[in-house]
Amino acid sequence: MSDLLYSEEEEALRAAVRDLLTDHCDAASVLARIESDTPHDLSLWKALADGMGLAGLLVPEDRGGQGATHREAAVVLEELGRAVAPVPYLTSAVVATEALLACADGDDLLADLASGRLIGALAVGLHTAPGAAFATVRVDGGALHGELAGIADAAVADVLLVPADDGVLYAVTADAVTVVPQTSLDLTRPLARVTLDGAPGRRLGDAGPAVRRALRAGAGLLASEQLGVAEWALTETVRYLKDRKQFNRPVGGFQALKHRLAQVWLETVSLRAAARAAADALATGEDTDVTVAVAQAYAAPVAVRATEEAVQLHGGIGMTWEHPAHLHLKRAKADSIALGTAGAHREALAGLAELPAP
């Protein structure tokens, strides 16, 4: 196995992304966005995708990208998770991009996604686990008909990658479909219902392998986003408990709270190991299915517990809309069913390890 520690280049990338997010994605602005009709921050996306070239990390240089690996993309997702940034990085720069990388055609689309000129979305429900069955639309006379639900970031996608019942993945422009918002717990990653009524589609390649590859990469790198969410929760809770006083002493000095925070720290550093292993496995192609399943089986409960503790240990202020704790809790809860639940990944892992349940 490779060295899972962060390289100097990865730490420099983290610092650059964190500086940008500190300046342009503070909690107050994220809250203001989700209360508006346009939760996505497209100016921040432009800075990340166009200004820093981060949308093309997974795309080889000869196909219009940066030629980096999943390890670098994982570092970006850690920081985006920490800030709960309302940008379509996971959906466009990871999932849609990986689907296109698996297709014979569509290199022009791939280059457009890599440069940030276009935003892409794979039209598969966000809840779908790698290897699970997914909904398709009907092909009739070269046009696409049907409805697909739970599509993340469809509201800002310029192009949708749509699997059809003939086994082909089609590219469909956003102006050819109807996108209706669905109620989403996590308002920073909105879901939508996409309706195709005779939409023209461009053939890209086989849908099955493309969707499997895209969802596997998405699930593996989602663990890094969940790590960022958990790390924020731990860091902010420790900071608050050092400052908050009760009976004239810092609340963080009470042993019961120390034990709770120690447990969160232990689980979070374990999650970091699992997430780094998943990113490295995606980059090297070694034991990828197993490592991704392990990371996702572990990540969801840790991120949810860390953010629940943040809400509780912030006391009264943690329950308010103005405090960002609820943004992180909702992202952690939504991520816990995104790209397969922990239970689905445990089941997949059991099959991969030939240890089926009795």
Side-chain angles (χ1 to χ4, degrees):
M1 182 178 273
S2 314
D3 182 355
L4 298 184
L5 297 175
Y6 299 100
S7 67
E8 282 184 29
E9 291 81 5
E10 288 163 355
E11 289 293 8
L13 174 61
R14 178 195 307 286
V17 175
R18 189 175 294 188
D19 284 350
L20 178 69
L21 293 172
T22 300
D23 292 341
H24 298 286
C25 193
D26 59 285
S29 65
V30 175
L31 274 168
R33 284 208 160 274
I34 65 170
E35 290 173 336
S36 73
D37 294 331
T38 52
H40 292 96
D41 189 340
L42 293 182
S43 62
L44 174 61
W45 172 247
K46 186 171 173 56
L48 289 163
D50 186 21
M52 297 180 72
L54 300 182
L57 288 181
L58 299 180
V59 181
E61 289 183 56
D62 60 3
R63 298 177 77 176
Q66 303 295 326
T69 74
H70 299 80
R71 289 176 59 122
E72 287 80 15
V75 170
V76 174
L77 277 163
E78 283 180 38
E79 293 307 312
L80 295 177
R82 188 189 297 271
V84 204
V87 292
Y89 191 86
L90 182 73
T91 43
S92 184
V94 176
V95 176
T97 294
E98 285 276 350
L100 283 171
L101 284 168
C103 292
D105 296 313
D107 272 14
D108 56 327
L109 272 181
L110 192 60
D112 284 341
L113 258 61
S115 68
R117 284 190 296 272
L118 294 180
I119 295 170
L122 180 66
V124 172
L126 184 62
H127 61 279
T128 312
F134 51 88
T136 58
V137 297
R138 181 170 52 85
V139 183
D140 187 3
L144 304 176
H145 301 262
E147 189 174 88
L148 299 163
I151 312 303
D153 295 335
V156 287
D158 301 296
V159 61
L160 292 152
L161 310 181
V162 182
D165 59 3
D166 61 353
V168 174
L169 190 68
Y170 290 87
V172 180
T173 56
D175 56 12
V177 304
T178 305
V179 176
V180 178
Q182 290 180 275
T183 303
S184 173
L185 174 66
D186 177 12
L187 298 172
T188 62
R189 181 175 284 146
L191 305 177
R193 188 182 303 278
V194 176
T195 304
L196 298 91
D197 186 9
R202 170 186 162 192
R203 296 170 70 96
L204 296 171
D206 292 342
V211 170
R212 274 195 300 277
R213 174 174 174 165
L215 297 183
R216 185 177 71 170
L221 293 181
L222 180 66
S224 290
E225 176 180 293
Q226 290 164 304
L227 170 62
V229 172
E231 286 190 327
W232 177 91
L234 177 62
T235 302
E236 289 303 311
T237 306
V238 169
R239 177 180 299 154
Y240 177 76
L241 294 184
K242 282 181 175 177
D243 293 341
R244 176 93 170 94
K245 288 189 168 54
Q246 207 167 31
F247 308 118
N248 213 26
R249 58 181 286 197
V251 175
F254 292 101
Q255 194 168 27
L257 301 193
K258 285 183 180 179
H259 286 175
R260 286 171 69 171
L261 288 170
Q263 184 64 31
V264 172
W265 178 85
L266 189 64
E267 292 177 357
T268 302
V269 294
S270 299
L271 171 53
R272 184 184 301 129
R276 291 295 292 164
D280 188 69
L282 286 164
T284 61
E286 294 177 16
D287 291 329
T288 311
D289 290 337
V290 168
T291 314
V292 167
V294 167
Q296 269 310 310
Y298 190 73
V302 172
V304 170
R305 192 174 299 113
T307 49
E308 286 177 344
E309 289 286 69
V311 170
Q312 283 202 5
L313 296 178
H314 273 82
I317 192 175
M319 301 298 291
T320 63
W321 182 259
E322 289 73 18
H323 195 277
H326 70 91
L327 292 173
H328 293 78
L329 175 59
K330 289 169 185 169
R331 174 63 70 90
K333 293 289 275 187
D335 281 357
S336 73
I337 56 172
L339 299 161
T341 61
H345 286 281
R346 281 195 294 273
E347 198 171 316
L349 184 60
L352 291 165
E354 297 181 357
L355 291 170

